[in-house]
């Protein structure tokens, strides 16, 4: 047996094993991907194979995928999305959408996804998904819904929309151009739009109404803790001159601007004002004692006109001026340890701020909720303190013997004052990518630099946005594609199909062509699958004396059916990180969609084309 045949057999074995290991999720995606790349390098070192131009296939060919422009684009778009998230740039539009739909998340998502489908028919899918991903994420967060329910549908609906016109996907154009050159078939802009609407419309019904029920919500440990925690902290708001609450009057015993907080006491000089508050107007010098969740306190700190200050101005007893700069503040929770020196002391007496540089924003006591100023509460073992400070100051609390830092609770406050910058950068990236004037990889890299240079993100936050699973998954998948093409594995699959289908009827050939291409496009790129099978599709049509249009359109739809794996299409990779998806999630939700499209086309195409 020749070396190329052995290499081809081993290539199929590695790819099959890799897919199975991805699906069972016993090992991490990074480990499996790295193992597959290592296997290809070893196989082709022992059994040398040459490219069509005569050059040997070497290790560099398998590693080239890790510098692929599509991969760089996806990573940069993740960083740009992190910039929008870090600045809460889309909070306003998200809340407006929620208000228009009366807070019902399914009503908010469906119109947005339908708009995505229409735009994807006329624009490149990637910038459309990039445009709407942060909007849908913000809408989901506003209504308390997991992004997993809407982000995979976003990718799939964009792919479906791209099936319906000649320019909806680069795959469509590749197939149409090859068919025009080799068969004389001229596909116009809307040549396959009618049947495309039938096929894509059937798939859209599944995506909009059934698929969200199949999605599993997966969160990080920190998100799980925070999502289930409704505990209340006692906090205080110092009303100073120019404070946003100056002049706010109680309405029906409540303060409208503090709707997410329970006001327990207003301290006016030596006089405490207790609820219900009637005809109380807040004025400078007042101290408002509130009970609020961590989320409510974080929002109060992160507003462009913050209700609370996460840094001291030196006016509060026991506090000193802080060097903490706006936008670089983290929140964390610490527990007062047994035998702590803080026990029995108030915050001003404890010197906690002077020693640690972290400011206590709230106190939570499980046994009872005291009705007194936060600075008058004497601390007890087990009290939970919500503290604000720089990341390094929070980190140093790990070595503090007086408190126990809950590491999972550390989060950074949004940099809302940079929100306009983030929106402008995002708009420019989308506009340039959609126009086609500048390659999307160029705009993505430039947008990433702009996010960091303008202060929307720091380098550490940008690096944290990079998903190692996506990086390894794409690199390893491209290595597999190199192995398939160089050994002739792809051509062998196509030749086997022609042999098996010889003598079959036109509808059977059409259905089989769709099914085989649909399988391959989820592991090769959709463009590679399309280029490989276009001459085969035309040849099949000629064998049975049929016009090639039905077979060419079949190839277009099948090559776009990249739903069953995250590596099938670039937009799947874009939503994988923000949606916290795993490989098996795409198999569970995407494989049924691909089968629905296959069955729909197999039933409709013979009638539509008169076969």
């Amino acid at each position: 047996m020749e070396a190329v045949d052995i290499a081809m057999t081993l290539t199929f074995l590695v790819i099959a094993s890799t897919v199975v290991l991805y699906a069972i999720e016993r090992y991490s995606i990074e480990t499996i991907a790295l193992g597959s790349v290592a296997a290809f390098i070893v196989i082709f070192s022992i059994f040398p194979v040459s490219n069509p131009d005569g050059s040997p296939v070497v290790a560099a060919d398998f590693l080239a995928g890790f510098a692929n422009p599509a991969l760089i684009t996806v990573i940069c778009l993740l960083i740009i999305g992190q910039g929008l998230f870090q600045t809460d740039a889309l909070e306003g539009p998200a809340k407006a959408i929620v208000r228009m739909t009366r807070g019902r998340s399914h009503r908010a998502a469906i119109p947005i996804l339908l708009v995505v489908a229409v735009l994807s028919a006329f624009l490149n899918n990637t910038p459309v998904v990039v445009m709407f991903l942060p909007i849908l994420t913000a809408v989901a967060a506003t209504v308390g819904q997991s992004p997993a329910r809407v982000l995979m549908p976003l990718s799939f609906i964009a792919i479906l929309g791209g099936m319906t016109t000649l320019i909806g996907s680069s795959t469509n154009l590749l197939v149409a151009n090859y068919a025009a050159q080799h068969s004389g078939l001229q596909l116009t802009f809307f040549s396959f739009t009618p049947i495309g609407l039938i096929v894509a419309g059937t798939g859209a019904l599944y995506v909009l109404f059934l698929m969200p029920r199949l999605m599993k919500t997966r969160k990080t440990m920190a998100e799980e803790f925070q999502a289930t925690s409704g505990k209340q902290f006692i906090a205080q708001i110092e009303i100073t001159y120019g404070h946003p609450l100056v002049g706010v009057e109680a309405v029906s015993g409540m303060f409208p601007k503090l709707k997410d907080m329970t006001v327990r006491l207003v301290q006016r000089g030596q006089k405490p004002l207790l609820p219900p508050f009637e005809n109380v107007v807040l004025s400078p010098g007042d101290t408002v004692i509130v009970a609020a969740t961590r989320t409510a306190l974080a929002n109060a700190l992160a507003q462009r006109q913050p209700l609370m200050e996460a840094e001291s101005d030196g006016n509060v007893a026991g506090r000193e001026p802080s060097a903490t700069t706006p936008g670089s503040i983290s929140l964390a929770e610490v527990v007062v340890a047994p035998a702590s020196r803080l026990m029995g002391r108030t915050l001003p007496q404890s010197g906690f701020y002077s020693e640690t540089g972290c400011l206590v924003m709230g106190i939570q006591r499980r046994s009872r909720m005291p009705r007194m100023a936060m600075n008058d509460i004497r601390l007890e073992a087990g009290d939970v303190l919500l503290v604000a400070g720089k990341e390094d100051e929070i980190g140093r609390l790990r070595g503090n013997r007086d408190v126990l830092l809950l590491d999972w609770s550390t989060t950074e406050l949004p940099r809302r004052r940079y929100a306009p910058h983030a929106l402008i950068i995002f708009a420019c990236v989308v506009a340039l990518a959609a126009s086609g004037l500048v390659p999307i990889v160029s705009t993505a890299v430039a947008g990433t630099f702009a996010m960091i240079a303008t202060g929307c993100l720091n380098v550490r936050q940008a690096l944290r946005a990079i998903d190692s699973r996506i990086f390894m998954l794409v690199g390893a998948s491209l290595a597999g594609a190199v192995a398939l093409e160089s050994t002739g594995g792809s051509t062998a699959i196509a030749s086997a199909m022609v042999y098996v289908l010889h003598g079959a009827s036109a509808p059977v050939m059409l259905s089989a062509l769709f099914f085989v291409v649909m399988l391959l496009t989820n592991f090769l790129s959709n463009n590679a699958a399309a280029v490989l099978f276009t001459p085969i599709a035309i040849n099949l049509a000629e064998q049975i004396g049929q016009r090639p249009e039905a077979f060419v359109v079949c190839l277009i739809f099948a090559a776009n059916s990249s739903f069953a794996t995250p590596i099938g299409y670039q937009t799947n990779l874009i939503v994988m990180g923000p949606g916290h998806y795993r490989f098996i999630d795409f198999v569970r939700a995407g494989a049924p969609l691909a089968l629905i499209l296959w069955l729909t086309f197999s039933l409709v195409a013979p009638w539509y084309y008169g076969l």
Side-chain angles (χ1 to χ4, degrees):
M1 185 179 289
E2 296 182 2
V4 66
D5 295 326
I6 299 175
M8 182 193 301
T9 302
L10 292 175
T11 294
F12 282 129
L13 180 62
V14 171
I15 291 175
S17 301
T18 301
V19 172
V20 170
L21 289 173
Y22 281 150
I24 64 177
E25 295 185 332
R26 184 172 180 179
Y27 306 101
S28 69
I29 282 180
E30 294 91 337
T31 302
I32 299 167
L34 183 60
S36 69
V37 174
F40 287 131
I41 293 174
V42 171
I43 290 169
F44 282 73
S45 298
I46 299 174
F47 305 102
V49 175
S50 298
N51 288 308
D53 60 3
S55 61
V57 179
V58 296
D61 295 321
F62 297 108
L63 299 175
F66 294 99
N68 186 277
L71 176 57
I72 302 301
T73 301
V74 170
I75 289 174
C76 288
L77 292 176
L78 289 175
I79 295 174
I80 292 171
Q82 180 71 6
L84 292 170
F85 169 78
Q86 198 65 36
T87 57
D88 267 358
L90 293 172
E91 181 189 34
K95 286 185 175 179
I97 292 172
V98 171
R99 281 195 300 271
M100 287 188 291
T101 56
R102 299 180 181 179
R104 298 187 180 180
S105 56
H106 67 280
R107 290 189 178 181
I110 289 176
I112 294 173
L113 292 174
L114 291 176
V115 170
V116 168
V118 173
L119 290 178
S120 296
F122 303 96
L123 298 174
N124 184 282
N125 296 346
T126 302
V128 174
V129 170
V130 171
M131 184 191 311
F132 284 92
L133 185 147
I135 295 174
L136 275 174
T137 302
V139 169
T142 302
V143 297
Q145 186 183 45
S146 169
R149 302 287 185 189
V150 294
L151 295 189
M152 195 184 292
L154 168 65
S155 175
F156 288 1
I157 205 78
I159 297 173
L160 290 173
M163 290 182 178
T164 57
T165 67
L166 186 64
I167 66 168
S169 168
S170 58
T171 306
N172 305 359
L173 288 170
L174 276 174
V175 174
N177 289 337
Y178 186 95
Q181 294 171 6
H182 294 85
S183 69
L185 173 66
Q186 297 291 334
L187 293 177
T188 62
F189 193 96
F190 294 110
S191 285
F192 49 88
T193 298
I195 188 172
L197 289 175
I198 296 172
V199 175
T202 305
L205 292 176
Y206 165 82
V207 170
L208 295 175
F209 300 105
L210 183 58
M211 198 178 90
R213 302 176 186 272
L214 302 178
M215 304 308 306
K216 286 189 176 181
T217 301
R218 292 190 174 95
K219 299 181 180 180
T220 62
M221 184 174 69
E223 289 173 326
E224 288 174 354
F225 272 106
Q226 292 166 13
T228 57
S229 175
K231 59 188 177 185
Q232 301 269 320
F233 289 89
I234 287 290
Q236 62 187 42
I237 302 173
E238 309 284 350
I239 309 296
T240 58
Y241 288 98
H243 193 279
L245 294 181
V246 170
V248 172
E249 183 177 0
V251 178
S252 301
M254 301 174 65
F255 295 96
K257 287 194 175 182
L258 296 174
K259 60 181 180 179
D260 296 328
M261 303 178 180
T262 301
V263 180
R264 298 179 59 81
L265 172 70
V266 175
Q267 187 72 37
R268 179 164 290 172
Q270 299 298 317
K271 180 183 178 183
L273 304 178
L274 299 174
F277 304 101
E278 297 293 342
N279 302 319
V280 175
V281 179
L282 298 179
S283 58
D286 289 347
T287 299
V288 182
I289 312 302
V290 299
T293 63
R294 172 180 171 148
T295 301
L297 293 176
N299 289 336
L301 286 166
Q303 291 179 10
R304 295 183 188 178
Q305 288 187 305
L307 300 181
M308 305 171 68
E309 293 295 335
E311 52 182 338
S312 175
D313 58 6
N315 294 330
V316 180
R319 297 180 182 174
E320 301 170 3
S322 167
T324 304
T325 55
S328 63
I329 299 169
S330 294
L331 281 181
E333 295 177 27
V334 298
V335 179
V336 177
S340 168
R341 291 177 298 172
L342 302 179
M343 290 173 56
R345 298 181 179 180
T346 64
L347 287 174
Q349 292 170 349
S350 69
F352 182 80
Y353 176 77
S354 301
E355 181 182 345
T356 65
C358 297
L359 198 60
V360 177
M361 308 307 303
I363 300 175
Q364 190 266 331
R365 180 166 291 169
R366 287 177 170 79
S367 59
R368 60 193 180 280
M369 189 72 74
R371 194 185 294 275
M372 63 177 70
M374 188 177 75
N375 283 348
D376 294 336
I377 298 175
R378 294 190 178 275
L379 300 176
E380 299 176 1
D383 285 349
V384 180
L385 310 180
L386 182 65
V387 299
K390 292 181 180 178
E391 185 184 28
D392 57 342
E393 293 170 340
I394 297 289
R396 284 196 292 270
L397 292 177
R398 294 187 182 94
N400 192 305
R401 296 186 178 181
D402 294 317
V403 294
L404 305 174
L405 175 65
L406 305 178
D407 279 290
W408 56 262
S409 68
T410 305
T411 56
E412 288 186 282
L413 290 178
R415 300 181 170 204
R416 288 184 179 168
R417 68 189 185 114
Y418 295 104
H421 300 161
L423 283 173
I424 291 172
I425 293 167
F426 174 64
C428 290
V429 168
V430 171
L432 289 172
S435 69
L437 298 175
V438 183
I440 189 168
V441 64
S442 303
T443 60
V445 171
T448 299
F449 171 74
M451 282 288 184
I452 297 172
T454 57
C456 300
L457 287 172
N458 56 41
V459 174
R460 177 180 44 76
Q461 291 167 333
L463 291 174
R464 199 165 57 200
I466 299 174
D467 193 325
S468 61
R469 298 176 307 159
I470 292 176
F471 182 77
M472 293 302 300
L473 196 62
V474 174
S477 301
L478 293 174
V482 169
L484 270 179
E485 292 175 13
S486 60
T487 59
S490 301
T491 304
I493 294 172
S495 301
M497 178 185 168
V498 172
Y499 176 79
V500 170
L501 292 179
H502 182 71
S505 64
V508 171
M509 280 192 172
L510 206 59
S511 180
L513 176 66
F514 193 112
F515 187 80
V516 172
V517 176
M518 177 188 73
L519 289 179
L520 286 181
T521 194
N522 282 284
F523 301 101
L524 297 171
S525 73
N526 53 348
N527 286 342
V531 170
L532 177 67
F533 275 88
T534 301
I536 296 173
I538 295 173
N539 180 262
L540 285 175
E542 291 174 349
Q543 283 184 16
I544 58 175
Q546 295 287 340
R547 292 187 303 112
E549 182 176 356
F551 290 81
V552 171
V553 171
C554 171
L555 181 59
I556 288 174
F557 291 166
N560 277 298
S561 299
S562 312
F563 306 110
T565 65
I567 58 179
Y569 200 72
Q570 184 167 289
T571 57
N572 291 352
L573 290 169
I574 291 174
V575 302
M576 186 177 180
H580 302 294
Y581 298 121
R582 297 179 185 174
F583 191 95
I584 193 65
D585 292 325
F586 285 89
V587 177
R588 180 186 299 110
L593 175 58
L595 292 174
I596 288 171
L597 298 188
W598 169 56
L599 291 173
T600 303
F601 184 83
S602 298
L603 293 173
V604 173
W607 162 77
Y608 185 82
Y609 289 106
L611 299 179

